[in-house]
Amino acid sequence: MRFSTRKILFSGIAAGAAVVALGGAAAASGHQAADALPVAPGHEGEGEYTAGNYWLQVRELTADGEGFGTAVAPGTTYYSKTLHGSDSWKPTVLKFSVGEAPEAPTVFSYPIPAEGLGVSCVASGTEAAPQVRCETTDAR
């Protein structure tokens, strides 16, 4: 069988694109881990949001879209004490966007975990191709 450099190059590009697409789909799907991650001491039941090399906008919202948001500077971590809301306000979802605009389009969503559990979310990739991964944390 004869292979040309051109065929090998295109085969490699196609295989690479398939790996990137599958990896992106897996990262975008998000999940609540069955075995929750350990939590940073002093931050039990909180949201932990770590930005990649770009601004990460995080919003803790109710089903009606009401809630609070914060901008996390590139390469830093923010801890949220409002993850589970208050007596009068209960968020149900985390929504993430990138850039400095607070109302930028959502690139990833994750459900608020049960009371007493926290969440750890880490952004990676680039601003043009962001990836956000969240996992439920447990103080136990």
Side-chain angles (χ1 to χ4, degrees):
M1 183 177 257
R2 193 171 151 217
F3 292 99
S4 69
T5 304
R6 186 176 180 181
K7 284 182 183 178
I8 292 171
L9 178 64
F10 284 122
S11 295
I13 290 171
V19 168
V20 169
L22 289 174
S29 68
H31 69 282
Q32 284 194 253
D35 295 321
L37 295 174
V39 65
H43 297 286
E44 295 83 4
E46 294 182 8
E48 176 183 356
Y49 313 123
T50 302
N53 292 326
Y54 47 84
W55 282 91
L56 181 66
Q57 301 289 332
V58 183
R59 295 182 305 276
E60 298 164 343
L61 304 172
T62 64
D64 296 332
E66 299 290 323
F68 297 99
T70 191
V72 183
T76 63
T77 298
Y78 174 81
Y79 292 94
S80 171
K81 294 181 186 299
T82 60
L83 179 64
H84 294 292
S86 63
D87 290 338
S88 62
W89 172 75
K90 295 287 184 200
T92 59
V93 67
L94 293 167
K95 292 200 175 194
F96 298 87
S97 57
V98 298
E100 294 189 52
E103 296 302 321
T106 299
V107 297
F108 183 76
S109 297
Y110 192 79
I112 299 288
E115 191 71 38
L117 298 175
V119 66
S120 175
C121 300
V122 178
S124 62
T126 64
E127 188 169 347
Q131 295 178 351
V132 179
R133 179 172 170 76
C134 293
E135 293 194 29
T136 300
T137 59
D138 189 353
R140 292 177 253 169

Short mmCIF file of all heavy atoms in Angstrom, two decimals, residues 46-82:
data_model
loop_
_atom_site.label_atom_id
_atom_site.label_comp_id
_atom_site.label_asym_id
_atom_site.label_seq_id
_atom_site.Cartn_x
_atom_site.Cartn_y
_atom_site.Cartn_z
N GLU A 46 -18.73 25.46 49.83
CA GLU A 46 -18.61 26.68 49.02
C GLU A 46 -18.35 26.34 47.56
O GLU A 46 -18.09 25.19 47.22
CB GLU A 46 -17.45 27.55 49.54
CG GLU A 46 -17.68 28.11 50.91
CD GLU A 46 -16.54 29.01 51.37
OE1 GLU A 46 -15.63 29.33 50.58
OE2 GLU A 46 -16.57 29.41 52.55
N GLY A 47 -18.41 27.36 46.74
CA GLY A 47 -18.02 27.23 45.35
C GLY A 47 -16.57 27.67 45.22
O GLY A 47 -16.19 28.70 45.77
N GLU A 48 -15.78 26.90 44.53
CA GLU A 48 -14.37 27.23 44.27
C GLU A 48 -14.21 27.34 42.76
O GLU A 48 -14.43 26.36 42.04
CB GLU A 48 -13.45 26.15 44.82
CG GLU A 48 -12.00 26.38 44.50
CD GLU A 48 -11.10 25.24 45.00
OE1 GLU A 48 -11.60 24.30 45.66
OE2 GLU A 48 -9.91 25.30 44.69
N TYR A 49 -13.87 28.54 42.27
CA TYR A 49 -13.80 28.79 40.83
C TYR A 49 -12.39 29.25 40.48
O TYR A 49 -11.94 30.29 40.97
CB TYR A 49 -14.82 29.84 40.42
CG TYR A 49 -16.19 29.59 41.00
CD1 TYR A 49 -16.83 30.53 41.79
CD2 TYR A 49 -16.84 28.38 40.79
CE1 TYR A 49 -18.09 30.30 42.33
CE2 TYR A 49 -18.10 28.13 41.33
CZ TYR A 49 -18.71 29.09 42.09
OH TYR A 49 -19.95 28.84 42.63
N THR A 50 -11.71 28.51 39.62
CA THR A 50 -10.35 28.84 39.22
C THR A 50 -10.35 29.18 37.73
O THR A 50 -10.77 28.37 36.90
CB THR A 50 -9.39 27.68 39.50
OG1 THR A 50 -9.45 27.37 40.90
CG2 THR A 50 -7.97 28.03 39.12
N ALA A 51 -9.88 30.39 37.42
CA ALA A 51 -9.83 30.84 36.02
C ALA A 51 -8.57 30.34 35.34
O ALA A 51 -7.54 30.13 35.98
CB ALA A 51 -9.87 32.37 35.97
N GLY A 52 -8.66 30.15 34.04
CA GLY A 52 -7.50 29.81 33.23
C GLY A 52 -6.73 31.07 32.90
O GLY A 52 -6.65 32.00 33.72
N ASN A 53 -6.23 31.16 31.70
CA ASN A 53 -5.46 32.34 31.27
C ASN A 53 -6.37 33.40 30.67
O ASN A 53 -5.99 34.09 29.73
CB ASN A 53 -4.38 31.92 30.27
CG ASN A 53 -3.31 31.09 30.92
OD1 ASN A 53 -2.98 31.30 32.09
ND2 ASN A 53 -2.76 30.15 30.18
N TYR A 54 -7.58 33.53 31.19
CA TYR A 54 -8.55 34.52 30.72
C TYR A 54 -9.51 34.82 31.87
O TYR A 54 -9.57 34.08 32.85
CB TYR A 54 -9.31 34.00 29.50
CG TYR A 54 -9.83 32.59 29.65
CD1 TYR A 54 -11.04 32.33 30.30
CD2 TYR A 54 -9.11 31.50 29.16
CE1 TYR A 54 -11.51 31.04 30.45
CE2 TYR A 54 -9.58 30.21 29.30
CZ TYR A 54 -10.78 29.99 29.95
OH TYR A 54 -11.24 28.71 30.10
N TRP A 55 -10.27 35.90 31.73
CA TRP A 55 -11.29 36.25 32.73
C TRP A 55 -12.41 35.22 32.66
O TRP A 55 -12.87 34.85 31.58
CB TRP A 55 -11.86 37.64 32.47
CG TRP A 55 -10.95 38.73 32.92
CD1 TRP A 55 -9.98 39.34 32.18
CD2 TRP A 55 -10.90 39.31 34.21
NE1 TRP A 55 -9.33 40.27 32.94
CE2 TRP A 55 -9.88 40.28 34.19
CE3 TRP A 55 -11.62 39.11 35.39
CZ2 TRP A 55 -9.56 41.04 35.32
CZ3 TRP A 55 -11.30 39.87 36.49
CH2 TRP A 55 -10.28 40.83 36.46
N LEU A 56 -12.84 34.76 33.83
CA LEU A 56 -13.93 33.80 33.93
C LEU A 56 -15.08 34.47 34.68
O LEU A 56 -14.91 34.94 35.80
CB LEU A 56 -13.46 32.55 34.69
CG LEU A 56 -14.49 31.44 34.87
CD1 LEU A 56 -14.84 30.82 33.51
CD2 LEU A 56 -13.94 30.37 35.82
N GLN A 57 -16.24 34.54 34.05
CA GLN A 57 -17.44 35.07 34.68
C GLN A 57 -18.24 33.90 35.25
O GLN A 57 -18.51 32.94 34.53
CB GLN A 57 -18.30 35.83 33.66
CG GLN A 57 -17.61 36.99 33.00
CD GLN A 57 -17.39 38.16 33.95
OE1 GLN A 57 -18.15 38.35 34.89
NE2 GLN A 57 -16.36 38.94 33.69
N VAL A 58 -18.59 33.95 36.53
CA VAL A 58 -19.34 32.89 37.18
C VAL A 58 -20.63 33.49 37.73
O VAL A 58 -20.60 34.49 38.43
CB VAL A 58 -18.55 32.26 38.34
CG1 VAL A 58 -19.34 31.10 38.96
CG2 VAL A 58 -17.18 31.80 37.89
N ARG A 59 -21.77 32.86 37.39
CA ARG A 59 -23.06 33.33 37.90
C ARG A 59 -23.77 32.17 38.60
O ARG A 59 -23.87 31.07 38.06
CB ARG A 59 -23.90 33.86 36.74
CG ARG A 59 -23.28 35.10 36.10
CD ARG A 59 -24.11 35.71 34.98
NE ARG A 59 -24.46 34.82 33.90
CZ ARG A 59 -23.69 34.54 32.86
NH1 ARG A 59 -22.49 35.04 32.77
NH2 ARG A 59 -24.12 33.75 31.89
N GLU A 60 -24.23 32.41 39.82
CA GLU A 60 -25.02 31.45 40.59
C GLU A 60 -26.46 31.91 40.46
O GLU A 60 -26.84 32.96 40.98
CB GLU A 60 -24.56 31.44 42.05
CG GLU A 60 -23.11 31.00 42.19
CD GLU A 60 -22.49 31.33 43.54
OE1 GLU A 60 -23.04 32.17 44.28
OE2 GLU A 60 -21.44 30.74 43.85
N LEU A 61 -27.30 31.15 39.74
CA LEU A 61 -28.62 31.61 39.34
C LEU A 61 -29.75 30.68 39.77
O LEU A 61 -29.57 29.46 39.83
CB LEU A 61 -28.68 31.78 37.82
CG LEU A 61 -27.64 32.70 37.20
CD1 LEU A 61 -27.70 32.61 35.68
CD2 LEU A 61 -27.83 34.12 37.67
N THR A 62 -30.92 31.26 39.99
CA THR A 62 -32.14 30.48 40.23
C THR A 62 -32.69 30.03 38.88
O THR A 62 -32.20 30.44 37.83
CB THR A 62 -33.20 31.32 40.95
OG1 THR A 62 -33.59 32.39 40.08
CG2 THR A 62 -32.71 31.87 42.28
N ALA A 63 -33.76 29.24 38.92
CA ALA A 63 -34.41 28.81 37.69
C ALA A 63 -34.95 30.00 36.89
O ALA A 63 -35.09 29.93 35.68
CB ALA A 63 -35.54 27.83 38.01
N ASP A 64 -35.24 31.12 37.57
CA ASP A 64 -35.72 32.33 36.91
C ASP A 64 -34.60 33.22 36.40
O ASP A 64 -34.86 34.30 35.88
CB ASP A 64 -36.59 33.14 37.88
CG ASP A 64 -37.85 32.41 38.28
OD1 ASP A 64 -38.34 31.59 37.48
OD2 ASP A 64 -38.34 32.65 39.40
N GLY A 65 -33.35 32.80 36.58
CA GLY A 65 -32.22 33.60 36.11
C GLY A 65 -31.78 34.68 37.08
O GLY A 65 -30.97 35.53 36.73
N GLU A 66 -32.32 34.68 38.28
CA GLU A 66 -31.94 35.66 39.29
C GLU A 66 -30.72 35.15 40.05
O GLU A 66 -30.62 33.95 40.33
CB GLU A 66 -33.08 35.89 40.29
CG GLU A 66 -34.36 36.41 39.66
CD GLU A 66 -34.22 37.84 39.19
OE1 GLU A 66 -33.54 38.63 39.86
OE2 GLU A 66 -34.77 38.17 38.13
N GLY A 67 -29.81 36.04 40.40
CA GLY A 67 -28.67 35.59 41.19
C GLY A 67 -27.53 36.56 41.22
O GLY A 67 -27.69 37.75 40.97
N PHE A 68 -26.38 36.01 41.52
CA PHE A 68 -25.18 36.81 41.70
C PHE A 68 -24.09 36.28 40.79
O PHE A 68 -24.07 35.11 40.44
CB PHE A 68 -24.69 36.72 43.15
CG PHE A 68 -25.68 37.27 44.13
CD1 PHE A 68 -26.52 36.42 44.83
CD2 PHE A 68 -25.78 38.63 44.35
CE1 PHE A 68 -27.45 36.91 45.73
CE2 PHE A 68 -26.71 39.13 45.24
CZ PHE A 68 -27.55 38.28 45.94
N GLY A 69 -23.18 37.17 40.44
CA GLY A 69 -22.06 36.78 39.62
C GLY A 69 -20.79 37.45 40.07
O GLY A 69 -20.82 38.44 40.80
N THR A 70 -19.70 36.88 39.64
CA THR A 70 -18.40 37.46 39.94
C THR A 70 -17.45 37.21 38.77
O THR A 70 -17.63 36.24 38.03
CB THR A 70 -17.81 36.88 41.24
OG1 THR A 70 -16.68 37.64 41.62
CG2 THR A 70 -17.42 35.43 41.09
N ALA A 71 -16.48 38.08 38.63
CA ALA A 71 -15.45 37.91 37.62
C ALA A 71 -14.19 37.41 38.32
O ALA A 71 -13.77 37.98 39.32
CB ALA A 71 -15.17 39.23 36.92
N VAL A 72 -13.63 36.34 37.82
CA VAL A 72 -12.41 35.77 38.39
C VAL A 72 -11.26 36.10 37.45
O VAL A 72 -11.31 35.77 36.26
CB VAL A 72 -12.55 34.24 38.57
CG1 VAL A 72 -11.31 33.68 39.24
CG2 VAL A 72 -13.80 33.90 39.37
N ALA A 73 -10.26 36.79 37.99
CA ALA A 73 -9.12 37.23 37.18
C ALA A 73 -8.32 36.03 36.67
O ALA A 73 -8.32 34.96 37.30
CB ALA A 73 -8.22 38.14 38.01
N PRO A 74 -7.66 36.18 35.54
CA PRO A 74 -6.86 35.08 34.98
C PRO A 74 -5.88 34.50 36.00
O PRO A 74 -5.22 35.23 36.72
CB PRO A 74 -6.11 35.75 33.82
CG PRO A 74 -6.97 36.90 33.43
CD PRO A 74 -7.58 37.39 34.71
N GLY A 75 -5.87 33.16 36.07
CA GLY A 75 -4.92 32.47 36.92
C GLY A 75 -5.19 32.56 38.42
O GLY A 75 -4.31 32.24 39.21
N THR A 76 -6.39 32.97 38.83
CA THR A 76 -6.69 33.08 40.25
C THR A 76 -7.88 32.20 40.62
O THR A 76 -8.59 31.70 39.76
CB THR A 76 -7.00 34.54 40.67
OG1 THR A 76 -8.17 34.98 39.99
CG2 THR A 76 -5.84 35.47 40.36
N THR A 77 -8.08 32.03 41.93
CA THR A 77 -9.18 31.23 42.45
C THR A 77 -10.05 32.11 43.34
O THR A 77 -9.55 32.92 44.12
CB THR A 77 -8.64 30.04 43.27
OG1 THR A 77 -7.88 29.21 42.40
CG2 THR A 77 -9.77 29.22 43.87
N TYR A 78 -11.36 31.94 43.21
CA TYR A 78 -12.34 32.67 44.00
C TYR A 78 -13.20 31.66 44.75
O TYR A 78 -13.62 30.65 44.17
CB TYR A 78 -13.22 33.53 43.08
CG TYR A 78 -14.36 34.21 43.78
CD1 TYR A 78 -14.15 35.39 44.49
CD2 TYR A 78 -15.65 33.67 43.74
CE1 TYR A 78 -15.21 36.02 45.15
CE2 TYR A 78 -16.70 34.30 44.39
CZ TYR A 78 -16.46 35.47 45.09
OH TYR A 78 -17.50 36.08 45.74
N TYR A 79 -13.48 31.93 46.03
CA TYR A 79 -14.36 31.07 46.83
C TYR A 79 -15.66 31.81 47.07
O TYR A 79 -15.66 32.96 47.50
CB TYR A 79 -13.71 30.72 48.17
CG TYR A 79 -12.52 29.82 48.01
CD1 TYR A 79 -11.23 30.32 47.92
CD2 TYR A 79 -12.68 28.44 47.94
CE1 TYR A 79 -10.14 29.48 47.77
CE2 TYR A 79 -11.60 27.59 47.79
CZ TYR A 79 -10.33 28.12 47.71
OH TYR A 79 -9.25 27.28 47.55
N SER A 80 -16.78 31.14 46.80
CA SER A 80 -18.10 31.74 46.96
C SER A 80 -18.83 31.14 48.15
O SER A 80 -19.07 29.93 48.20
CB SER A 80 -18.93 31.53 45.70
OG SER A 80 -20.26 31.93 45.92
N LYS A 81 -19.23 31.99 49.08
CA LYS A 81 -20.02 31.56 50.22
C LYS A 81 -21.52 31.55 49.90
O LYS A 81 -22.32 31.11 50.69
CB LYS A 81 -19.75 32.47 51.42
CG LYS A 81 -18.33 32.37 51.94
CD LYS A 81 -18.12 33.28 53.13
CE LYS A 81 -16.71 33.34 53.60
NZ LYS A 81 -16.12 32.12 54.04
N THR A 82 -21.91 32.06 48.72
CA THR A 82 -23.33 32.15 48.36
C THR A 82 -23.80 30.99 47.50
O THR A 82 -24.90 31.02 46.96
CB THR A 82 -23.62 33.48 47.61
OG1 THR A 82 -22.83 33.53 46.42
CG2 THR A 82 -23.31 34.68 48.49
#
